[in-house]
RNA sequence: GACAUGUUAGCUCAGUUGGUUAGAGCAUCGGUUUGUGGUACCGAGGGUCAUGGGUUCGAGCCCCAUACGUGUCCCCA
């Protein structure tokens, strides 16, 4: 009985033409993370379920992939939903870690979401995180934004904007409109939505959530003013928590200026809320304003209480997370990826038994010189061997037929310009290096 | 979860008010050319029209059900 070949919804296979690009993107990230002093770290794909739940918020908790193993028992397992929570769990377990500690981590994560590939949304995807634990300094928050900016710039992503806000400001606004902290998420949600829909829609939502009319009106009056950070500071002068949040962002922005991050690529955005519960301070998210359908390329922020929630020391933390799959999808849609199918530089043709040993010796010599070399395994017609070379966009082909073997030379053909020459092995190696 | 929409060859799709034997492009393989690709020409293979039922003299097309997919919203990387 044959089983239909099919792939899990929201998961993907990556063939070389995609993987070569994905590896390059990861390499840019890795290099940049190291440049800023982050060291590599990995945690398991699998965690105990109770380590993950209650950190992200109700909606997100439902999207955690639970593993069907000892359901309901204390050691019920799940696939990790992000890298921040497992990292925090690991830090909480490592009592003698010298602080501040900076790590980067690039691994797949899983979410039981409805996939929307066009928007770069999948069930299995790579997160590439840099986090620092053990410092409250806004310098670190600024570094997170700087590193995000540097990576996206190096990948030549045009016109991205890092939106920045502060949870303390959102808490302050909630107080300002006369609600207690239990309503922060409703308020955030409403503000966040305002990006996409009209006020009356947002108002309707808030009414549905039993928010008092006076609070809704006060929120409307505040948002309609579209205040700059400075003016917001005056408006919210009686709210202590908001004052703190604004001061933090002003400090953060002063560091971004010193780090030479162009102002075109970041901005204060009061409508940025972020859904995950664990954020406590500055938050940020990267969007492509010219491609609003595409989900955010990056998200991050400060999460000072998370590590303490695992017991033990209360260690402050901040991090940035770049979405490999979002970035890759955006680059595909923006036509930023060349048509690469292989990393092979030269194909050595196969002329059959008489010349086989000479051809294989050539293959060995080329590889010994670090030239990426592929040997065509069957003595097919040359037409077919050239066709293979062409289809895989291998730039060069070498031939040792009987003529070449007698003359002790190698024919080298450049597939791009069709030039063909006979060379000695030494000259060939020089040419291909 | 809500709404919309789709399923015909390996892939992308066409298929008229229901009417003979199911169409194209690309891809694959072969030939023109047994030591030369990307161009050209010739030829070949490849389809229980998602599944099950119904209407009809007759269904890829109409009706019902099921499965699966896709898009948007919500939320996110």
């Amino acid at each position: 009985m044959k089983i239909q070949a099919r792939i899990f919804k929201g998961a993907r296979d990556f063939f070389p033409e995609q993987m070569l690009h994905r590896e390059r993107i990861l390499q840019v990230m890795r290099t940049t993370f190291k440049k800023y002093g982050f060291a590599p770290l990995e945690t398991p794909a699998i965690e105990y379920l109770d380590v993950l739940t209650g950190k992200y918020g109700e909606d997100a908790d439902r999207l955690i992939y639970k593993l069907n193993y000892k359901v309901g028992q204390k050691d019920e397992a799940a696939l990790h939903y992000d890298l921040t929570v497992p990292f925090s769990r690991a830090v909480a377990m490592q009592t003698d870690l010298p602080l501040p500690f900076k790590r980067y981590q690039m691994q797949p994560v899983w979410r039981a979401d409805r996939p929307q590939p066009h928007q770069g949304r999948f069930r299995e995807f790579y997160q590439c995180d840099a986090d620092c634990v053990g410092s409250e300094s806004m310098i670190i928050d600024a570094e997170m934004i700087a590193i995000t900016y540097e990576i996206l710039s190096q990948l030549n992503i045009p016109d991205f904007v890092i939106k920045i806000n502060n949870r303390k400001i959102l808490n302050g606004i909630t107080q300002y409109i006369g609600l207690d902290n239990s309503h922060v998420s409703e308020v955030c949600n409403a503000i966040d939505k305002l990006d996409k829909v009209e006020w009356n829609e947002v108002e309707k939502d808030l009414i549905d959530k039993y928010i008092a009319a006076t609070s809704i009106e006060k929120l409307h009056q505040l948002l309609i003013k579209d205040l700059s950070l400075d003016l917001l500071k005056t408006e919210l002068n009686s709210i202590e928590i908001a004052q703190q949040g604004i001061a933090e962002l002003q400090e953060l922005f002063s560091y971004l200026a010193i780090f030479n991050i162009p102002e075109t690529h970041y901005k204060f955005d009061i409508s940025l809320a972020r859904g995950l519960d664990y954020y406590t301070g500055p938050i940020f998210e990267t969007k492509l304003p010219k491609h609003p359908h595409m989900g955010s390329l990056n998200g991050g922020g400060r999460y000072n209480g998370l590590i303490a929630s695992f017991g033990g020391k209360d260690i402050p933390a901040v991090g940035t997370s770049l979405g490999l799959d979002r970035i890759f999808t955006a680059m595909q849609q923006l036509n930023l990826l060349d048509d690469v199918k292989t990393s092979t530089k030269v194909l050595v043709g196969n002329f059959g038994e008489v010349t086989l040993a000479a051809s294989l010796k050539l293959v060995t010599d080329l590889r010994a010189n670090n030239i990426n070399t592929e040997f065509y395994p069957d003595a097919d017609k040359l037409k077919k061997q050239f066709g293979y070379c062409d289809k895989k966009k291998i730039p060069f082909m070498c031939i040792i037929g009987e003529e070449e073997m007698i003359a002790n030379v190698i024919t080298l053909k450049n597939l791009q310009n069709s030039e063909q020459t006979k060379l000695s092995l030494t000259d060939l190696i020089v040419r291909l290096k």
Side-chain angles (χ1 to χ4, degrees), chain A residues 241-307:
Chain A
I241 188 83
Q243 292 300 312
Q244 263 184 43
I246 292 166
E248 284 178 1
L249 288 194
Q250 284 176 327
E251 189 185 348
L252 191 157
F253 287 146
S254 75
Y255 297 134
L256 291 182
I258 299 173
F259 289 154
N260 291 322
I261 312 301
E263 285 186 32
T264 45
H265 285 281
Y266 68 89
K267 66 167 192 190
F268 168 64
D269 187 335
I270 199 170
S271 80
L272 175 70
R274 300 202 43 76
L276 303 181
D277 275 0
Y278 52 61
Y279 291 117
T280 55
I283 48 177
F284 52 92
E285 189 171 293
T286 305
K287 291 281 293 177
L288 299 176
K290 289 184 180 168
H291 301 82
H293 71 89
M294 177 60 63
S296 51
L297 303 186
N298 146 270
R302 184 164 277 279
Y303 49 101
N304 281 353
L306 185 54
I307 295 167

Side-chain angles (χ1 to χ4, degrees), chain A residues 11-226:
Chain A
R12 292 164 299 159
D13 297 318
F14 297 107
F15 277 75
E17 47 205 289
Q18 286 118 31
M19 278 309 293
L20 290 166
H21 291 299
R22 291 171 68 88
E23 282 186 346
R24 198 194 115 235
I25 296 169
L26 288 172
Q27 191 52 39
V28 167
M29 292 187 190
R30 199 172 355 246
T31 308
T32 313
F33 288 148
K34 284 181 174 164
K35 196 199 290 185
Y36 281 71
F38 293 84
L41 183 146
E42 245 185 59
T43 62
I46 189 170
E47 294 278 352
Y48 288 115
L49 180 61
D50 61 5
V51 166
L52 304 183
T53 47
K55 310 318 191 270
Y56 304 108
E58 251 179 70
D59 287 344
D61 276 2
R62 273 196 288 273
L63 301 181
I64 296 172
Y65 267 108
K66 294 172 189 164
L67 297 181
N68 229 350
Y69 143 86
K70 297 194 174 181
V71 172
Q73 294 191 22
K74 204 181 171 206
D75 57 353
E76 196 170 347
L79 294 174
H80 60 197
Y81 177 89
D82 72 352
L83 302 178
T84 305
V85 169
F87 170 58
S88 300
R89 190 268 306 144
V91 169
M93 291 172 71
Q94 192 78 23
T95 50
D96 59 350
L97 197 63
L99 299 178
F101 175 68
K102 300 170 87 174
R103 79 90 174 81
Y104 74 89
Q105 186 171 353
M106 306 195 287
Q107 288 179 247
V109 303
W110 293 271
R111 296 184 184 178
D113 219 352
R114 172 103 198 252
Q116 288 182 33
H118 189 62
Q119 301 175 13
R121 182 200 200 103
F122 307 98
R123 285 181 171 171
E124 176 181 88
F125 59 96
Y126 263 77
Q127 285 196 328
C128 307
D129 288 23
D131 288 73
C132 176
V133 299
S135 172
E136 305 236 28
S137 168
M138 282 298 125
I139 295 170
I140 305 290
D141 299 59
E143 275 193 346
M144 293 301 165
I145 289 164
I147 204 169
T148 303
Y149 164 78
E150 182 160 340
I151 287 168
L152 295 175
S153 298
Q154 282 197 33
L155 292 171
N156 292 319
I157 310 239
D159 304 321
F160 64 88
V161 175
I162 307 174
K163 298 178 179 182
I164 303 170
N165 198 1
N166 195 321
R167 270 288 160 84
K168 290 178 180 172
I169 295 175
L170 293 167
N171 288 343
I173 289 173
T174 310
Q175 269 183 41
Y176 171 81
I177 64 171
L179 298 172
D180 65 53
N181 274 345
S182 65
H183 290 100
V184 172
S185 63
E186 282 106 318
V187 173
C188 287
N189 216 288
I191 296 174
D192 193 27
K193 245 186 163 171
L194 207 55
D195 241 11
K196 290 167 190 161
V197 300
E198 295 299 310
W199 170 255
N200 50 1
E201 285 268 333
V202 175
E203 188 175 24
K204 194 168 152 282
D205 266 25
L206 288 171
I207 293 168
D208 288 348
K209 284 172 182 161
Y210 307 108
I211 303 294
T214 50
S215 293
I216 297 175
E217 184 50 28
K218 225 170 164 189
L219 181 63
H220 189 200
Q221 288 309 317
L222 178 68
L223 293 177
I224 215 165
K225 290 179 191 162
D226 194 21

Side-chain angles (χ1 to χ4, degrees), chain A residues 328-375:
Chain A
F328 179 63
T329 307
M331 288 177 85
Q332 279 179 318
Q333 288 179 17
L334 295 169
N335 251 324
L336 295 176
L337 303 174
D338 333 321
D339 186 14
V340 181
K341 292 198 162 56
T342 179
S343 45
T344 298
K345 186 148 195 193
V346 56
L347 177 80
V348 174
N350 186 332
F351 256 81
E353 275 177 42
V354 178
T355 56
L356 182 61
S359 296
L360 287 178
K361 183 180 175 304
L362 172 62
V363 168
T364 310
D365 289 338
L366 290 172
R367 288 176 181 162
N369 282 277
N370 287 321
I371 296 162
N372 296 351
T373 304
E374 189 172 344
F375 181 64

